[in-house]
Amino acid sequence: MKRRSIRLLASLALALFCFETKAQTKVALFDGTIVGGYVDHGGYINCIGPSIKYLKKPFSISAGLLPSLRIKEDKVATGATKNSLITPSLGLGLTAVFNHIALQLPLYYNAKTSAKNGEWNVGVGLGYKL
C-alpha cells in the first residue's frame, strides 16, 4: 500500500513538471479547502494549512501542513483510560485540486505507546475548495 502510494505521488509529480505552459508557484497560509477522509481505521476533517502550491488553472497541487480533527475510537482493555473520540492533530501531505474538487494524500504520525511502536499512516481524502 505504501509503495503504491509513493509510486502514485511520483507519477503525479512527474506529470505536473512536464507541462509546457506558464504556471505559478506560491506560498499560501490558508487555501480555503476543507477535506474529509480516512486514515488508520478512523476519519479526519482538515483544512489546508501553510503550504507550497503549484498552480496551473484550473488545476493546482500543494504540499504542506494539514491542521486536522481526527475521529477515532481507541480500542483498549476494559477499565483502561481512553483518548477522546475527536482529537486535534497535525499531518502533512499533498492535495490536488481540479476546479473545486480536492483529492488529498495525507500522512499522520501515531506516537509510540506502551503497546505499539510509533508509525506513519497514509490516508486518502476528498474535499471542496471554497
Side-chain angles (χ1 to χ4, degrees), residues 3-58:
R3 282 189 176 189
R4 186 180 307 156
S5 297
I6 292 171
R7 288 180 188 156
L8 177 66
L9 292 175
S11 299
L12 183 61
L14 182 61
L16 285 174
F17 293 122
C18 291
F19 288 121
E20 293 182 17
T21 60
K22 184 178 177 183
Q24 297 176 344
T25 302
K26 67 178 186 175
V27 176
L29 291 177
F30 177 71
D31 196 10
T33 305
I34 299 173
V35 178
Y38 175 82
V39 65
D40 190 32
H41 307 292
Y44 68 87
I45 299 170
N46 72 26
C47 303
I48 310 293
S51 63
I52 297 174
K53 182 176 176 182
Y54 176 83
L55 176 65
K56 181 182 176 291
K57 298 248 179 188

Side-chain angles (χ1 to χ4, degrees), residues 34-114:
I34 299 173
V35 178
Y38 175 82
V39 65
D40 190 32
H41 307 292
Y44 68 87
I45 299 170
N46 72 26
C47 303
I48 310 293
S51 63
I52 297 174
K53 182 176 176 182
Y54 176 83
L55 176 65
K56 181 182 176 291
K57 298 248 179 188
F59 180 78
S60 69
I61 188 165
S62 60
L65 300 176
L66 308 169
S68 309
L69 290 176
R70 290 188 62 190
I71 306 161
K72 182 179 177 186
E73 185 174 1
D74 278 349
K75 302 211 187 296
V76 296
T78 308
T81 58
K82 292 176 143 181
N83 284 326
S84 175
L85 176 66
I86 299 174
T87 55
S89 182
L90 181 64
L92 59 99
L94 295 175
T95 305
V97 178
F98 182 75
N99 290 329
H100 292 284
I101 305 299
L103 178 64
Q104 187 176 77
L105 293 172
L107 292 165
Y108 290 99
Y109 185 74
N110 287 346
K112 180 181 181 246
T113 65
S114 60

